[in-house]
Amino acid sequence: MTAIELARVGQSVTVIESRHIGAGATGAGLGVLSTPAAGAGFGDPDDTVHGRPRKVWHRERLAAQRYLLRLIEESGADCDMRRGVVLLAPDESGFDALSRTIEARNAYYETQDHMVSRDALDSEAGGRVGELYAGALVMPGAEHVQPAKMILGLADLARSLGVVICERTEVVGAQTSPDGFRVRTNGGDLTARDVFLATGGYTRDFNRYLWRRTLGLPSIAVASEELPADEVDDIFRSGRVLLENRHRGYSGRPSPDGRRVILAGPVGQTPLGRAEDTRHLHDYFLRLFPDLVGIEFTHCWTGFIAATRDAQGHSGAHGGIWYAVGASGLVSCADAGRRMAQNILHADATAAERDDHFPAWPLRASEALLWKGVEWSARLRDRVGKSRLR
């Protein structure tokens, strides 16, 4: 988004990507666009959250969502956009929390969301969903896309505006120069007035400042072999995305052609490799859908999400280089990219150096121990009901 907005106003922009556009966690998610602002939850719009009314957070989120939808339309990307999300409540307290303010939220946001009790969950999903969950919030108008296709469409839009995209090119260094910066890559060097680092969960020793403040947590999505359409229909009876309202967001949906089951989640926080991660994800969903036993998963996408210690997105500059990390989800990432374009156009990087609220991870040099701590913390929050979206 940063490249698109800069190119719109006549800036010369080069995007350097070490793999291919859309590689990693961004292209491997379920692509849900309509979720609340991170940390603001589903409560009363007039309640104060983090020092501001919840509706202010959501107003910004809705504006960011509309921005991304406009870009998708402009790009002409065929990204299998569908509507309908079911947010599963693991317990009665979570169900009650979602239920209490639904009328106020529908009135404020002009939505048609509604609650489904445990007894009626069979209309949304098969397996043991009705047995294991207390009910669900159904959001019939919530959009979701195939994110890899969306990203390819946006890349084509960027190219049409004059952006140069260098795939499979790795940045190995950047030094200040009389013209700004000299960026060294394994394909040659180039000069730039401004440099924006968007490595996310892949930040390594190249930038120690960001490396100490981000942790690449693994995410995975898998697709099953082709199945009879009636078997897929029996799992996803309404055809909507299923999303768990826990600290960690496991999700599933039918493929656009209705012949495959697609599952996604953070699995364990310690990277174990594709085969074991796939098995963990499969085992997790077997609890919900016992009929998945014996089904082969033929496709797998993995990537790393940039986790910050305070679970918030952070942007600014360090050493004269712009950065933005920690934004969660397609909508938040798009909005962060748009904001960064404005910063680059109108702000001095040296004046944006301070970010006193961007804490470093403890034990950052001991990744295995740190990952284990994060994993067990997430499991504990799941168990005590610290839901992600409440």
Side-chain angles (χ1 to χ4, degrees):
M1 311 319 173
T2 304
I4 288 173
E5 296 307 319
L6 291 174
R8 286 194 198 279
V9 295
Q11 299 294 308
S12 175
V13 184
T14 299
V15 175
I16 301 174
E17 168 59 59
S18 62
R19 295 166 65 186
H20 61 271
I21 293 294
T26 302
L30 263 284
V32 176
L33 304 185
S34 302
T35 55
F42 275 105
D44 190 321
D46 291 316
D47 285 349
T48 298
V49 181
H50 305 309
R52 298 195 298 172
R54 181 179 275 113
K55 61 187 177 185
V56 175
W57 293 101
H58 289 307
R59 188 182 303 135
E60 293 176 355
R61 171 75 185 203
L62 288 168
Q65 182 178 319
R66 289 168 185 146
Y67 166 72
L68 180 54
L69 289 171
R70 288 196 302 271
L71 281 187
I72 293 172
E73 183 178 6
E74 182 182 354
S75 73
D78 179 11
C79 52
D80 300 323
M81 185 176 291
R82 301 287 191 276
R83 292 179 183 270
V85 172
V86 178
L87 186 64
L88 297 167
D91 52 38
E92 294 294 341
S93 64
F95 181 83
D96 291 342
L98 291 171
S99 302
R100 278 194 295 270
T101 59
I102 190 167
E103 290 186 9
R105 288 188 283 104
N106 277 338
Y108 183 78
Y109 303 119
E110 298 181 349
T111 52
Q112 301 293 323
D113 300 349
H114 61 275
M115 300 302 298
V116 172
S117 67
R118 183 194 301 271
D119 294 338
L121 268 182
D122 285 347
S123 65
E124 295 293 337
R128 300 178 61 207
V129 169
E131 174 188 344
L132 295 174
Y133 294 91
L137 170 66
V138 178
M139 298 177 281
E143 297 98 344
H144 51 92
V145 300
Q146 210 293 348
K149 288 185 176 182
M150 182 199 77
I151 293 166
L152 289 176
L154 295 178
D156 287 340
L157 173 60
R159 290 188 182 98
S160 72
L161 294 169
V163 175
V164 176
I165 299 178
C166 302
E167 297 181 273
R168 295 176 177 81
T169 303
E170 186 175 354
V171 174
V172 296
Q175 291 83 33
T176 56
S177 72
D179 299 319
F181 288 90
R182 186 173 187 83
V183 180
R184 295 186 293 111
T185 80
N186 59 359
D189 296 355
L190 68 156
T191 59
R193 186 193 67 190
D194 293 286
V195 173
F196 172 34
L197 191 63
T199 47
Y202 297 87
T203 302
R204 306 300 297 176
D205 290 348
F206 172 72
N207 190 294
R208 298 291 292 182
Y209 176 81
L210 290 183
W211 179 81
R212 289 193 297 269
R213 288 163 173 78
T214 57
L215 186 65
L217 300 183
S219 181
I220 183 171
V222 297
S224 72
E225 61 185 308
E226 285 200 359
L227 303 170
D230 59 344
E231 290 187 20
V232 179
D233 289 343
D234 189 53
I235 293 175
F236 302 104
R237 294 178 178 174
S238 67
R240 298 180 174 121
V241 167
L242 299 178
L243 179 64
E244 273 198 309
N245 188 27
R246 296 183 189 270
H247 178 70
R248 294 182 292 177
Y250 287 86
S251 52
R253 66 173 170 87
S255 62
D257 64 2
R259 298 301 303 274
R260 298 176 188 268
V261 172
I262 301 177
L263 309 175
V267 200
Q269 303 303 152
T270 303
L272 301 172
R274 283 196 175 195
E276 194 162 354
D277 280 343
T278 300
R279 182 177 62 80
H280 275 275
L281 191 64
H282 187 193
D283 290 348
Y284 186 90
F285 277 95
L286 275 177
R287 182 176 59 93
L288 276 64
F289 306 114
D291 288 345
L292 290 178
V293 66
I295 290 177
E296 182 181 355
F297 286 86
T298 57
H299 297 72
C300 175
W301 304 268
T302 60
F304 293 99
I305 299 170
T308 57
R309 185 177 168 187
D310 58 3
Q312 299 295 313
H314 290 271
S315 62
H318 183 76
I321 295 178
W322 296 101
Y323 67 83
V325 294
S328 178
L330 297 177
V331 171
S332 295
C333 287
D335 190 51
R338 181 187 61 81
R339 291 173 184 268
M340 284 308 303
Q342 295 302 310
N343 288 341
I344 292 170
L345 287 171
H346 303 298
D348 180 357
T350 58
E353 290 279 327
R354 292 186 60 188
D355 188 347
D356 297 332
H357 304 290
F358 193 179
W361 280 100
L363 303 173
R364 186 62 184 90
S366 304
E367 286 197 353
L369 183 60
L370 180 54
W371 271 324
K372 278 296 183 183
V374 172
E375 177 180 1
W376 285 106
S377 173
R379 289 184 178 182
L380 178 62
R381 293 185 184 191
D382 283 346
R383 286 186 176 275
V384 301
K386 290 293 185 181
S387 56
R388 199 166 53 107
L389 303 175
R390 187 182 302 172

